[in-house]
Amino acid sequence: MKNFIFFLAFLFFSTTGCFSQETEAKYDEKLAKSLNADEYGMKKYVFCLLKSGSNTTASKEETKKLFEGHMVNITKLAEEGKLVVAGPFMKNDRNYRGIFIFNVETVEEAKKLVETDPAIKANLFEAELTPWYCTAALQETVKIHEKITRTKM
């Protein structure tokens, strides 16, 4: 019985020692700096909510051309590192069309980027901008997306 109690005590102390060891990922200072992360691994972005705009009279041909320009602009901004997330909303009753997350710190900087979008310029979309705080790792999304995309849009 003594041996069994000793064995249980040994087992308990040896396993609790395993659980107390550090299991967190190691801080990568070089990566954090390259992503402009603060001490929490976060940074400022600007969140853009795209809603249906006031232009409801554009022809199908005009709309198609504006959407093509919209997609070209998204690609350009992503390649420049200014846009880290973009995507449409599914059908909804709020007139929400999509989002952008701009890799800039101020709404003023994001306004300049929004002005480069032909669909926004033509009022097919209306853009609402607000400062946003999120993980600096979000910037890596575009690189990862390229690795999982079989067909380009």
Side-chain angles (χ1 to χ4, degrees), residues 1-149:
M1 183 70 166
K2 264 186 182 178
N3 287 343
F4 182 70
I5 292 172
F6 177 75
F7 174 73
L8 286 178
F10 173 77
L11 189 60
F12 173 77
F13 287 114
S14 65
T15 57
T16 55
C18 290
F19 290 119
S20 66
Q21 292 178 0
E22 186 177 315
T23 58
E24 293 181 26
K26 299 291 183 201
Y27 174 70
D28 185 335
E29 184 176 2
K30 183 179 175 185
L31 179 60
K33 283 183 179 180
S34 74
L35 296 174
N36 296 313
D38 64 14
E39 65 184 294
Y40 304 107
M42 308 280 278
K43 73 177 290 299
K44 293 177 189 176
Y45 298 93
V46 175
F47 180 90
C48 177
L49 177 63
L50 295 174
K51 295 161 110 182
S52 296
S54 59
N55 183 350
T56 58
T57 60
S59 70
K60 285 185 180 184
E61 290 137 10
E62 288 175 298
T63 301
K64 182 180 179 200
K65 187 172 181 172
L66 291 168
F67 270 95
E68 287 171 358
H70 173 70
M71 297 305 293
V72 167
N73 194 58
I74 286 172
T75 301
K76 176 182 158 283
L77 293 174
E79 287 172 352
E80 292 172 356
K82 297 294 185 185
L83 186 64
V84 293
V85 172
F89 283 111
M90 306 313 253
K91 189 171 183 147
N92 63 81
D93 59 356
R94 296 187 185 127
N95 290 323
Y96 291 170
R97 301 297 300 273
I99 65 166
F100 290 149
I101 298 175
F102 290 111
N103 190 16
V104 297
E105 291 197 11
T106 68
V107 169
E108 291 73 27
E109 290 173 282
K111 280 181 184 175
K112 290 177 183 172
L113 298 175
V114 164
E115 291 170 359
T116 65
D117 190 306
I120 294 172
K121 279 196 240 181
N123 294 317
L124 287 181
F125 297 135
E126 173 187 313
E128 288 184 12
L129 302 167
T130 190
W132 193 52
Y133 187 62
C134 184
T135 177
L138 189 62
Q139 298 167 84
E140 298 296 290
T141 302
V142 173
K143 291 176 192 170
I144 295 167
H145 183 74
E146 290 171 355
K147 292 178 182 179
I148 62 170
T149 301

